[in-house]
Amino acid sequence: MATSLKRREQPMSREGDQLIVTPLGAGNEVGRSCVYMSFRGKTILFDCGIHPAYSGMAALPYFDEIDPSTIDVLLITHFHLDHAASLPYFLEKTTFKGRVFMTHATKAIYKLLLTDYVKVSKVSVEDMLFDEHDILKSMDKIEVIDFHQTVEVNGIKFWCYTAGHVLGAAMFMVDIAGVRILYTGDYSREEDRHLRAAELPQFSPDICIIESTSGVQLHQSRHIREKRFTDVIHSTVAQGGRVLIPAFALGRAQELLLILDEYWANHPDLHNIPIYYASPLAKKCMAVYQTYILSMNDRIRNQFANSNPFVFKHISALNSIDDFRDVGPSVVMASPGGLQSGFSRQLFDSWCSDKRNACIIPGYMVEGTLAKTIINEPKEVTLMNGLTAPLNMQVHYISFSAHADYAQTSTFLKELMPPNIILVHGEANEMMRLKQKLFTEFPDGNTRIMNPKNCESVEMYFNSEKMAKTIGRLAEKTPDVGDSVSGILVKKGFTYQIMAPDDLHVFSQLSTATVTQRITIPFSGAFGVITHRLGKIFESVESSTDEETGLPALKVHERVTVKQESEKHISLQWSSDPISDMVSDSIVALVLNISREVPKIIVEEEVAVKSEEENGKKVEKVIYALLVSLFGDVKLGENGKLVISVDGNVAHLYKESGDVEGEHEGLKERVRVAYQRIQSAVKPIPLSAE
C-alpha cells in the first residue's frame, strides 16, 4: 500500500509541479468510487460511494489515507450508491470543511435514494454509517451546478458535461493552473429511450480518469436487447410464470418501464397480466423524473408535448410487499438490483424454486452480490432465512447497463487524445484486458495508460509557466521591444494580471489608497545644520519656506518634507512607499545623531558652507585609503596618477578619467572596477536612484 496521503511530505519539484491521483475506491474494483487528486496545493475528491457487497465501515472508501480537512472541493457525478452513498458520512462524521457540488437532478434523487438505503439496510445500529438526520444535514451543504456552468473555488475551475448513464449524471472537467483533468464517472455514449448520449468535451484534457466497467466487451444493439427482453417476458407469462426484474429504483428502472409500457400497449393479449414497479420510492421517483423531463432527450420531450411518458398506463406502483397479491402470472420490477435484501430478495426467495418463473438481470452485477452468483446458475441458493432452496427458475442476463462498452470507450479516447489515461471502476481482470487493448489503439508510445489499485498513487509532473496579462489602460498601447511595463501585479487563483493602480477597482475587488505619514522629532539645534548634513547625503535637497508658519522647510529627494515646527521640534511628512520610507528613516537617524553630538554645533553661514576644494581633498583621501586596503602598494605618481603594484605587476590609474594602463589585463580590470565602485560610494545619493 502506498504511503498515507495525509502523511506524505511535499516532494521537491522535478521537471515541473507534481500532480497526484489516488483511487480511495474503485481502483481495480467496481464499487465505492472515490478518487483523490492534488496539484499545486489544491485537492479534489471525485465521488464518494460505498461498496454494495460490504456493510458498515468496510463498505467505505479508504478515507483514513487522507486528511479530509485539506479537501477543497468534492464533486459527485451521479446519484448511484457506489458513487454517492458515503457522502453523508464524509460530510457529517469527518473533518471535511470544503465545498461539495452535484447537478440539480442528482441532488433531488440523492435524498430519496439515501433515505431509502437507510431504511432497507439490514445492518446493526453499530454498523450504520449514518441516519436520516445526517442525510438532511448534508443536503444543506450540497451546492448545485448546471451543465456547462463554470465554477471557481480557491483557484480551482470546473464545469460539467452530460454523461448519459442516468438522469443528472455529469462528467467533470477541472482546470488547475492550466492543467485540465476530465473525470468521466459512469458514462454512456449511446442515446437510449430517455437519456441523451454523453457529450464530447470540446478540447483535450491533460489527464482523463475514465471508467472501465465493461472492459473489452461490446454491447449488442439496443433493438436486439429490447427484443430479447420482451420475448423472455412474453413467453414466461404466457406459460403462467412470473418474471422478476431486480433493478435499482432509479436509473435503468425507468428505461425498462418505458419499454414494458410500450410493449404492453402494442399487445392487447397481455393487458390482463399486471406489471408492478415495486419500490418504496416508486411514486416519489416518478415525480422526480416528471420534473426533469427537459433534461432528457428529444424523444421524451416531444412525447411530453402530448402526454407525460412517465405516467404509465399498464404499470402499477407497489409500495409494500404486503400489498402484493401473488395469484397468477405477473411482471415485477423490484429494488435493489443486487438481490441483497428488500423487495427483490423477498420475491426471489418465493419464486426461485418454480421452473416456470424467470429472473432477468438487466444491469451490471457487483462481485459478492446474489445477482452475480445466480448468473452462473448454481443448483441451490441460500435464502434470507438461512435455509437452502433449489434454483429452478430461468435466469437471463440481458444487459441494459448504461456503461460505455469498448467501442464507445476507444472512440471517445481517440477523439479526445489525452496524453494520460487513468482507468478506474472496473474489475481487475477486465481492466487489465482493456489496458492492453488500448495500448494497441495508441501505438505511438506518447500516451500513458495506468490502472492504479486502491491507495496506489499515480504521480505526474506538469510545467506550468506563469504568464501575466496587461489589462485596462496598460493594454491600450503595445510596448516596443525593450520597453518596461509598470503597474500592479494582481494574482487571483493561478492567473496573473498587470494593471494600472487607477484600474484596480475596475478589474478586481481591490482598491488603492495613499498612506501619508508624519513624525515629529525633538531638535533644538540650528536648522541649517540639518540642511548642511542632508546636502552631503542626498543629491536633491530643496530649501523653501512654509507658507503657513514662515519657518524654513526642506524637500528631500522630492519625497520627504522636513519642516521646523518650533525651536525645539522638527517634523517629517511623506507619502508611504518603500523608497520614501527608506529616505525618511535615514533623515530621522541623521537628526537624532546630530542631537547627541557634544558640544552642540552652532553653525554660522560662512562656517556651514565649506569649499569644494576641501571636499575634494577629503574624497581623494578616502579613495586612496580604500585602494590601499584593497591592493596594498599604492603610490602617487606623476601628473596625479596612482601607481598600484601587486605581485610584481604594475597598473597606472588616472584619477580624473578613471582609465587604467598596464601590461597585466587581470590587474587592470580589477583596478578599474574597484575605482568605479569607490567613486560611486563616496558621492552623494543621486536623485536618479529611484
Side-chain angles (χ1 to χ4, degrees):
M1 183 180 293
T3 305
S4 175
L5 294 170
K6 62 185 176 185
R7 297 185 293 272
R8 187 190 300 275
E9 294 185 4
Q10 290 297 318
M12 296 296 290
S13 175
R14 79 162 195 265
E15 300 177 7
D17 297 307
Q18 186 187 53
L19 186 148
I20 297 174
V21 175
T22 309
L24 303 179
N28 281 246
E29 67 175 1
V30 175
R32 58 179 165 199
S33 283
C34 187
V35 178
Y36 169 95
M37 190 194 78
S38 67
F39 182 56
R40 296 286 299 273
K42 308 297 180 184
T43 56
I44 296 177
L45 211 58
F46 296 106
D47 281 336
C48 202
I50 59 162
H51 200 298
Y54 306 135
S55 62
M57 298 295 285
L60 291 173
Y62 292 91
F63 291 140
D64 53 343
E65 288 293 310
I66 62 170
D67 179 358
S69 66
T70 65
I71 305 295
D72 295 295
V73 178
L74 172 52
L75 303 175
I76 303 295
T77 57
H78 63 286
F79 56 71
H80 276 159
L81 297 179
D82 62 329
H83 290 260
S86 65
L87 187 58
Y89 175 89
F90 194 71
L91 295 187
E92 302 304 324
K93 309 245 175 121
T94 73
T95 56
F96 173 76
K97 53 181 182 288
R99 295 171 67 180
V100 56
F101 291 86
M102 59 179 66
T103 63
H104 292 266
T106 300
K107 183 176 181 179
I109 299 170
Y110 159 86
K111 180 183 177 183
L112 295 176
L113 212 57
L114 268 291
T115 303
D116 179 62
Y117 170 75
V118 168
K119 290 177 180 176
V120 302
S121 292
K122 301 295 183 182
V123 296
S124 63
V125 176
E126 294 79 15
D127 283 338
M128 287 293 291
L129 298 172
F130 51 85
D131 55 26
E132 290 187 53
H133 180 64
D134 293 323
I135 297 170
L136 291 175
K137 286 173 66 179
S138 74
M139 287 291 288
D140 295 333
K141 298 177 182 179
I142 296 170
E143 301 176 58
V144 291
I145 181 173
D146 289 319
F147 291 107
H148 308 128
Q149 174 193 354
T150 299
V151 177
E152 184 168 352
V153 177
N154 297 335
I156 304 169
K157 289 182 183 177
F158 56 91
W159 57 96
C160 61
Y161 302 98
T162 301
H165 190 62
V166 293
L167 180 64
M171 299 187 289
F172 280 98
M173 182 76 81
V174 176
D175 185 316
I176 303 177
V179 175
R180 291 191 174 115
I181 304 94
L182 176 67
Y183 178 76
T184 66
D186 292 350
Y187 79 105
S188 173
R189 293 277 287 156
E190 180 183 40
E191 183 170 309
D192 59 22
R193 284 176 173 262
H194 73 293
L195 292 176
R196 300 169 182 162
E199 294 178 86
L200 180 72
Q202 67 268 40
F203 42 70
S204 173
D206 298 288
I207 303 169
C208 182
I209 306 172
I210 189 168
E211 71 148 322
S212 51
T213 315
S214 299
V216 296
Q217 299 174 29
L218 296 174
H219 295 330
Q220 288 181 318
S221 74
R222 183 166 61 87
H223 299 294
I224 293 175
R225 282 178 283 158
E226 288 186 10
K227 187 175 187 311
R228 286 181 58 209
F229 178 68
T230 53
D231 284 352
V232 168
I233 292 173
H234 200 147
S235 62
T236 301
V237 297
Q239 64 184 14
R242 298 158 175 81
V243 180
L244 171 63
I245 308 171
F248 292 105
L250 283 150
R252 289 300 84 198
Q254 281 63 41
E255 177 76 3
L256 299 175
L257 292 173
L258 287 168
I259 295 170
L260 285 172
D261 200 53
E262 182 183 286
Y263 189 80
W264 249 243
N266 294 333
H267 292 77
D269 57 309
L270 296 175
H271 287 183
N272 63 328
I273 307 294
I275 304 174
Y276 296 105
Y277 176 29
S279 169
L281 298 177
K283 290 183 178 178
K284 291 179 180 178
C285 290
M286 298 323 300
V288 171
Y289 267 69
Q290 291 166 23
T291 301
Y292 289 98
I293 288 286
L294 296 179
S295 298
M296 299 179 197
N297 59 23
D298 293 339
R299 179 181 180 277
I300 289 292
R301 285 184 290 174
N302 292 335
Q303 280 185 253
F304 185 67
N306 300 315
S307 63
N308 193 323
F310 289 102
V311 176
F312 299 116
K313 296 178 182 177
H314 303 283
I315 299 169
S316 305
L318 192 63
N319 292 325
S320 168
I321 197 73
D322 299 328
D323 300 334
F324 178 50
R325 295 182 61 207
D326 189 8
V327 293
S330 62
V331 179
V332 181
M333 183 177 296
S335 62
L339 293 173
Q340 308 98 300
S341 58
F343 285 1
S344 62
R345 181 58 181 270
Q346 289 174 286
L347 290 173
F348 176 83
D349 285 2
S350 299
W351 293 352
C352 68
S353 300
D354 192 334
K355 64 181 180 181
R356 295 177 301 169
N357 299 336
C359 178
I360 300 176
I361 308 294
Y364 184 84
M365 300 147 297
V366 176
E367 288 289 344
T369 60
L370 178 61
K372 182 74 172 179
T373 301
I374 65 172
I375 281 296
N376 298 320
E377 298 185 2
K379 292 183 179 180
E380 292 183 338
V381 290
T382 303
L383 306 179
M384 279 198 296
N385 60 14
L387 302 177
T388 59
L391 179 61
N392 295 326
M393 73 188 312
Q394 299 296 311
V395 179
H396 302 271
Y397 174 52
I398 306 174
S399 176
F400 287 88
S401 174
H403 293 275
D405 66 358
Y406 178 73
Q408 295 177 36
T409 297
S410 59
T411 302
F412 184 69
L413 289 173
K414 281 190 284 188
E415 289 178 338
L416 280 181
M417 290 302 291
N420 299 282
I421 300 170
I422 299 177
L423 304 177
V424 295
H425 199 278
E427 297 297 342
N429 293 333
E430 284 292 332
M431 190 181 285
M432 185 57 71
R433 283 193 284 268
L434 175 61
K435 179 179 178 180
Q436 295 303 322
K437 198 163 183 180
L438 284 176
F439 274 128
T440 66
E441 302 281 358
F442 302 94
D444 56 4
N446 295 326
T447 303
R448 293 178 64 198
I449 304 174
M450 297 149 279
N451 58 326
K453 299 176 183 177
N454 285 337
C455 304
E456 181 181 334
S457 294
V458 172
E459 298 178 358
M460 288 161 277
Y461 293 85
F462 292 91
N463 288 316
S464 50
E465 295 181 356
K466 293 179 181 176
M467 180 182 295
K469 295 181 179 179
T470 56
I471 59 174
R473 64 189 65 185
L474 289 183
E476 292 174 356
K477 180 186 176 183
T478 304
D480 296 326
V481 177
D483 288 355
S484 61
V485 177
S486 178
I488 296 177
L489 181 65
V490 178
K491 178 178 181 286
K492 182 181 181 183
F494 294 103
T495 61
Y496 297 84
Q497 296 173 328
I498 301 174
M499 62 190 75
D502 293 341
D503 286 339
L504 199 61
H505 71 284
V506 178
F507 297 103
S508 73
Q509 297 178 336
L510 305 173
S511 59
T512 57
T514 301
V515 177
T516 300
Q517 299 197 62
R518 187 175 185 277
I519 184 172
T520 301
I521 308 170
F523 182 75
S524 55
F527 195 72
V529 174
I530 296 175
T531 305
H532 170 68
R533 292 288 183 90
L534 290 177
K536 296 298 179 185
I537 298 175
F538 297 99
E539 188 177 72
S540 174
V541 180
E542 299 175 6
S543 298
S544 63
T545 302
D546 185 60
E547 295 180 357
E548 295 182 3
T549 62
L551 294 172
L554 301 171
K555 189 77 169 182
V556 180
H557 224 297
E558 297 183 354
R559 292 174 177 272
V560 181
T561 301
V562 183
K563 294 181 183 179
Q564 184 173 3
E565 296 290 335
S566 66
E567 292 183 357
K568 294 186 178 180
H569 294 90
I570 64 166
S571 68
L572 277 67
Q573 184 169 311
W574 69 98
S575 295
S576 186
D577 64 59
I579 294 179
S580 298
D581 291 348
M582 180 185 70
V583 172
S584 63
D585 287 345
S586 65
I587 295 173
V588 170
L590 182 142
V591 172
L592 294 176
N593 189 53
I594 293 173
S595 299
R596 287 196 295 268
E597 291 181 357
V598 179
K600 286 189 177 180
I601 301 173
I602 301 175
V603 181
E604 294 182 357
E605 193 66 28
E606 61 273 13
V607 178
V609 182
K610 296 186 177 180
S611 68
E612 289 291 331
E613 186 179 344
E614 290 178 354
N615 289 337
K617 289 180 179 179
K618 284 188 176 182
V619 168
E620 285 191 8
K621 288 181 180 180
V622 171
I623 291 173
Y624 181 80
L626 290 172
L627 287 172
V628 169
S629 67
L630 289 172
F631 299 104
D633 188 359
V634 181
K635 297 177 181 177
L636 185 63
E638 298 176 357
N639 301 323
K641 68 180 179 181
L642 295 175
V643 180
I644 301 170
S645 301
V646 177
D647 296 333
N649 299 308
V650 179
H652 299 274
L653 171 63
Y654 294 88
K655 292 185 290 182
E656 291 186 4
S657 63
D659 295 336
V660 182
E661 294 179 351
E663 296 181 359
H664 194 279
E665 292 297 329
L667 179 61
K668 282 170 58 179
E669 181 64 16
R670 285 176 57 199
V671 172
R672 185 184 64 78
V673 172
Y675 186 65
Q676 286 179 349
R677 291 179 177 174
I678 290 170
Q679 276 193 313
S680 63
V682 298
K683 287 182 178 179
I685 299 173
L687 184 61
S688 58
E690 59 181 302

